[in-house]
């Protein structure tokens, strides 16, 4: 009889919880997920079983009272009943934690540490940068890029005012508005592409352009002749030219003639022709 | 040339590169639209408080998110194929140049002119004159006339190289024992820089390509000068 009771107990335990015997080290309790279990999930509001399985005497009497009219229950009793069935309220299970502060702190810490490593590397590991990074050299490079008309359409050289020798503010404001006006007067239309890289564009231009509801892509390339070679000495001037007189002669056409090969108005109209929107 | 830390393309120097620029704008706009939409959906899903556990399927949205991407892909493919075929159009080059890759320099042969050929080595940093661009300048530039269709036949004498000039939209591998052809027209006079685009050994980063486009009459001057020199 004792043996059957023991067997029944073992049987019960076998069903209720699995017992895992690991080679001589003892047993580990493993959950049996086929049995009803309690959980707090916002998307699954009703758990399979009550939270408190074995009720105390007080809780049992409360449960009996619950079978009557609920109007007789006080607030504390209702809360006690809730806590018998559920471990956490919705507010408690949905609340966030302060973990994010630790995460941000850790991330910033390691970023800072990386910064220290980089600073150390710059001081103790890397050699000096090439002489081409010296400010004077960069200045000459810049001037040369402008003289060579590097990226003259929408890029680097397009932002330089060759006439007034400074960076442009409002790019081709008058020309664009004039062109737009001309198009409209003749009853045609004009596609305008707004270049985002304009410097210091005033709001008036924006308003005007928007009111006109058109966009104008004017590829203005060095309208006038090259500026005087002020600054670079003759020695530097020959640096611009290659060994040989060819480039000097080809550059001379830049210097002395208007840039006839790149007529800005033609360029502008040519683009618009492609889009079938010329006036 | 490209500015330091430049992200976008250089200004186009040839009509093909203009086409590529516009196509890139178009495709990138599509990419941005899709990415913005996906990012919005992700944020909406993550910040949603409620979950619908009973969603099983939906034929309507499945149709939409199959057909709409197909349409978008077609709208990307059509301009792309157009440019692809544009590149291979029959044209009649006025000039043929051979660009041969060596370790570690380029040599250019203008066989249309008798015996015009020269090597193009990078100018070392310590030999630069003030204002020249580091790692980009070469002692001899490949000179071509503007507004003239030019054909470049690219090959290599030893290992793989690649002849690339981004501003003109050109890149072609230089394969030993093989001739690759690329044709282009340069719109505007100027100097266009490129760098070897196939790993070829220790000085792969130090064999730049410099193309100089000048008007035709000046080009003729140059060819006579160079023929005299070589």
């Amino acid at each position: 009889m004792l043996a059957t009771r023991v067997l029944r107990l073992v049987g019960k335990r076998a069903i209720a919880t699995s017992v895992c015997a690991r080679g001589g080290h003892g047993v580990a309790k493993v959950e049996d997920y086929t049995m009803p279990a309690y959980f707090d999930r916002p998307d699954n509001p009703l758990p399979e079983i009550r939270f408190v399985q074995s009720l105390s005497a007080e809780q049992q009497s409360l449960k009996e009272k619950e079978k009557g009219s609920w109007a007789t229950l006080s607030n504390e009793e209702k809360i006690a009943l809730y806590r018998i069935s559920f471990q956490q309220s919705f507010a408690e299970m949905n609340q966030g934690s302060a973990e994010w502060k630790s995460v941000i702190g850790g991330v910033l810490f390691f970023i800072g540490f990386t910064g220290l490593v980089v600073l150390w590397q710059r001081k103790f590991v890397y050699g000096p940068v090439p002489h081409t990074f010296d400010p004077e050299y960069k200045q000459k490079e810049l001037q040369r890029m402008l003289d060579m008309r590097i990226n003259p359409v929408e890029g680097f050289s397009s932002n330089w005012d060759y006439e007034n020798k400074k960076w442009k503010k409002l790019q081709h404001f008058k020309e664009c508005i004039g062109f737009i006006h001309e198009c409209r007067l003749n009853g045609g239309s004009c596609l305008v592409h707004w270049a985002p890289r304009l410097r210091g564009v005033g709001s008036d231009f924006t308003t005007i352009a928007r009111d006109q509801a058109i966009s104008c892509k004017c590829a203005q390339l060095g309208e006038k002749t090259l500026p005087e070679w002020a600054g670079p000495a003759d020695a530097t001037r020959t640096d611009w030219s290659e060994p040989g007189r060819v480039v000097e002669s080809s550059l001379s056409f830049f210097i002395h003639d208007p840039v006839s090969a790149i007529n800005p108005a033609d360029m502008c109209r040519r683009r618009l022709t492609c889009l079938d929107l010329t006036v | 040339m490209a500015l330091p830390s430049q992200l976008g393309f250089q200004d186009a120097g040839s009509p093909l590169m203009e086409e590529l620029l516009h196509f890139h704008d178009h495709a990138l706009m599509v990419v941005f639209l899709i990415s913005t939409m996906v990012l919005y959906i992700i944020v909406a899903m993550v910040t949603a408080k409620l979950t619908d556990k009973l969603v099983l399927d939906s034929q309507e949205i499945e149709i939409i998110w199959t057909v709409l991407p197909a349409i978008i892909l077609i709208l990307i493919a059509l301009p792309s194929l157009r440019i692809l075929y544009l590149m291979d159009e029959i044209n009649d080059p006025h000039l043929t140049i051979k660009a041969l890759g060596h370790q570690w320099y380029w040599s250019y042969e203008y066989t249309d002119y008798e015996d015009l050929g020269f090597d193009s080595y990078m100018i070392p940093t310590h030999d630069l004159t003030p204002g020249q661009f580091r790692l980009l300048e070469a002692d001899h530039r490949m000179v071509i006339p503007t507004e003239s269709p030019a054909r470049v036949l690219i090959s290599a004498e030893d290992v793989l190289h690649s002849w690339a000039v981004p501003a003109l939209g050109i890149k072609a591998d230089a394969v030993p024992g093989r001739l690759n052809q690329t044709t282009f027209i340069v719109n505007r006079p100027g100097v266009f820089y490129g760098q070897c685009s196939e790993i070829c050994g220790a000085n792969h980063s130090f064999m730049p390509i410099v193309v100089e486009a000048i008007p035709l009459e000046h080009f003729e001057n140059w060819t006579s000068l160079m023929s005299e020199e070589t």
Side-chain angles (χ1 to χ4, degrees):
Chain A
M1 198 177 101
L2 208 66
T4 51
R5 275 184 73 188
V6 167
L7 276 170
R8 226 185 298 138
L9 262 172
V10 171
K12 244 199 221 170
R13 283 193 79 194
I15 296 169
T17 56
S18 317
V19 167
C20 180
R22 294 168 198 255
H25 293 271
V27 294
K29 184 170 176 289
V30 177
E31 290 295 335
D32 182 355
Y33 289 106
T34 63
M35 299 298 290
Y38 179 78
F39 52 82
D40 278 314
R41 294 179 63 95
D43 56 328
N44 221 323
L46 301 175
E48 289 152 5
I49 52 172
R50 226 186 285 154
F51 177 55
V52 179
Q53 290 293 300
S54 45
L55 300 169
S56 66
E58 192 186 333
Q59 287 170 327
Q60 270 178 347
S61 64
L62 198 55
K63 275 290 183 189
E64 289 300 320
K65 193 176 176 195
E66 194 191 16
K67 291 178 184 171
S69 167
W70 288 346
T72 59
L73 294 169
S74 71
N75 260 356
E76 292 79 22
E77 284 171 335
K78 286 178 192 169
I79 292 170
L81 281 167
Y82 185 90
R83 290 293 174 182
I84 289 171
S85 299
F86 305 105
Q87 184 182 14
Q88 283 183 312
S89 67
F90 275 98
E92 284 162 9
M93 84 172 82
N94 287 339
Q95 78 188 6
S97 66
E99 189 194 13
W100 66 272
K101 297 176 197 169
S102 317
V103 172
I104 298 284
V107 167
L108 290 175
F109 172 79
F110 280 108
I111 290 175
F113 178 72
T114 308
L116 286 175
V117 169
V118 168
L119 287 174
W120 179 87
Q121 279 179 331
R122 284 195 180 174
K123 192 161 193 304
F124 294 103
V125 175
Y126 299 143
V129 290
H131 69 97
T132 54
F133 285 84
D134 298 339
E136 306 81 36
Y137 196 99
K138 281 288 169 213
Q139 189 63 31
K140 296 208 170 93
E141 251 186 39
L142 214 115
Q143 183 59 51
R144 182 160 178 261
M145 283 162 70
L146 289 172
D147 292 339
M148 286 169 79
R149 302 291 200 277
I150 295 283
N151 290 338
V153 180
E154 282 184 331
F156 184 70
S157 302
S158 67
N159 292 328
W160 178 255
D161 187 346
Y162 282 93
E163 235 176 271
N164 301 320
K165 295 193 188 143
K166 55 188 175 69
W167 296 106
K168 289 180 183 164
K169 282 200 189 316
L170 278 179
Q171 223 169 354
H172 316 302
F173 176 60
K174 288 194 189 112
E175 290 90 336
C176 270
I177 293 297
F179 186 72
I180 291 165
H181 190 59
E182 192 190 305
C183 291
R184 301 272 304 239
L185 278 178
N186 291 339
S189 56
C190 159
L191 176 71
V192 178
H193 174 85
W194 180 255
R197 262 160 290 171
L198 302 182
R199 296 161 190 262
V201 173
S203 56
D204 350 305
F205 186 19
T206 323
T207 322
I208 292 170
R210 286 213 191 110
D211 286 346
Q212 303 270 10
I214 26 179
S215 26
C216 162
K217 185 170 192 170
C218 293
Q220 293 277 0
L221 309 166
E223 216 176 327
K224 309 291 178 194
T225 60
L226 258 188
E228 295 295 324
W229 288 58
D234 276 354
T236 330
R237 186 194 304 207
T238 51
D239 297 333
W240 265 236
S241 343
E242 292 202 323
R245 296 159 295 273
V246 177
V247 175
E248 206 173 278
S249 66
S250 66
L251 277 178
S252 70
F253 108 93
F254 261 123
I255 297 167
H256 300 300
D257 313 327
V259 185
S260 53
I262 327 164
N263 189 330
D266 280 350
M267 183 71 86
C268 191
R269 291 208 174 94
R270 210 198 314 170
R271 287 180 197 277
L272 294 171
T273 317
C274 293
L275 296 162
D276 285 325
L277 283 170
T278 39
V279 173
Chain B
M1 64 175 273
L3 296 168
S5 66
Q6 173 171 328
L7 288 178
F9 289 121
Q10 301 172 36
D11 282 347
S14 74
L16 200 67
M17 190 59 203
E18 288 180 27
E19 298 285 342
L20 288 170
L21 281 179
H22 297 315
F23 172 69
H24 179 263
D25 287 344
H26 165 74
L28 197 63
M29 179 55 70
V30 173
V31 165
F32 280 154
L33 285 173
I34 294 173
S35 304
T36 311
M37 191 187 75
V38 170
L39 191 63
Y40 167 75
I41 292 174
I42 289 173
V43 169
M45 296 252 153
V46 162
T47 54
K49 299 260 188 260
L50 303 171
T51 311
D52 185 351
K53 303 189 302 174
L54 307 175
V55 171
L56 288 172
D57 67 356
S58 170
Q59 291 298 335
E60 297 80 8
I61 198 171
E62 295 256 358
I63 291 173
I64 292 172
W65 71 34
T66 309
V67 168
L68 199 56
I71 294 174
I72 291 173
L73 285 174
I74 292 173
L75 289 177
I76 295 175
L78 289 175
S80 175
L81 289 170
R82 178 180 153 266
I83 297 175
L84 188 67
Y85 281 85
L86 207 65
M87 291 198 300
D88 285 341
E89 280 213 337
I90 309 285
N91 54 11
D92 185 27
H94 295 171
L95 177 64
T96 301
I97 306 169
K98 289 175 203 53
L100 298 169
H102 308 253
Q103 281 179 314
W104 289 278
Y105 62 97
W106 293 94
S107 63
Y108 301 106
E109 292 171 13
Y110 291 66
T111 45
D112 291 340
Y113 301 85
E114 282 186 39
D115 263 346
L116 175 51
F118 51 89
D119 297 336
S120 173
Y121 280 83
M122 181 186 87
I123 299 180
T125 304
H126 55 82
D127 283 345
L128 290 170
T129 49
Q132 283 187 313
F133 310 124
R134 186 177 71 98
L135 306 185
L136 278 180
E137 300 285 359
D139 55 3
H140 296 110
R141 298 172 174 172
M142 188 185 102
V143 180
I144 48 174
T146 52
E147 306 276 8
S148 307
R151 170 202 281 138
V152 180
L153 297 170
I154 300 158
S155 186
E157 296 280 5
D158 35 47
V159 297
L160 292 177
H161 301 269
S162 185
W163 198 80
V165 184
L168 304 177
I170 304 168
K171 186 180 292 181
D173 279 357
V175 181
R178 179 187 170 87
L179 278 182
N180 281 333
Q181 172 183 286
T182 178
T183 50
F184 58 93
I185 302 177
V186 184
N187 278 345
R188 54 182 167 93
V191 183
F192 306 100
Y193 294 92
Q195 291 176 294
C196 177
S197 300
E198 184 68 43
I199 186 82
C200 52
N203 288 345
H204 155 69
S205 316
F206 308 114
M207 45 184 291
I209 296 130
V210 190
V211 173
E212 182 177 339
I214 55 180
L216 190 57
E217 58 271 18
H218 298 273
F219 176 72
E220 298 290 345
N221 293 341
W222 175 82
T223 48
S224 6
L225 270 159
M226 288 300 279
S227 297
E228 282 166 26
E229 277 178 27
T230 55

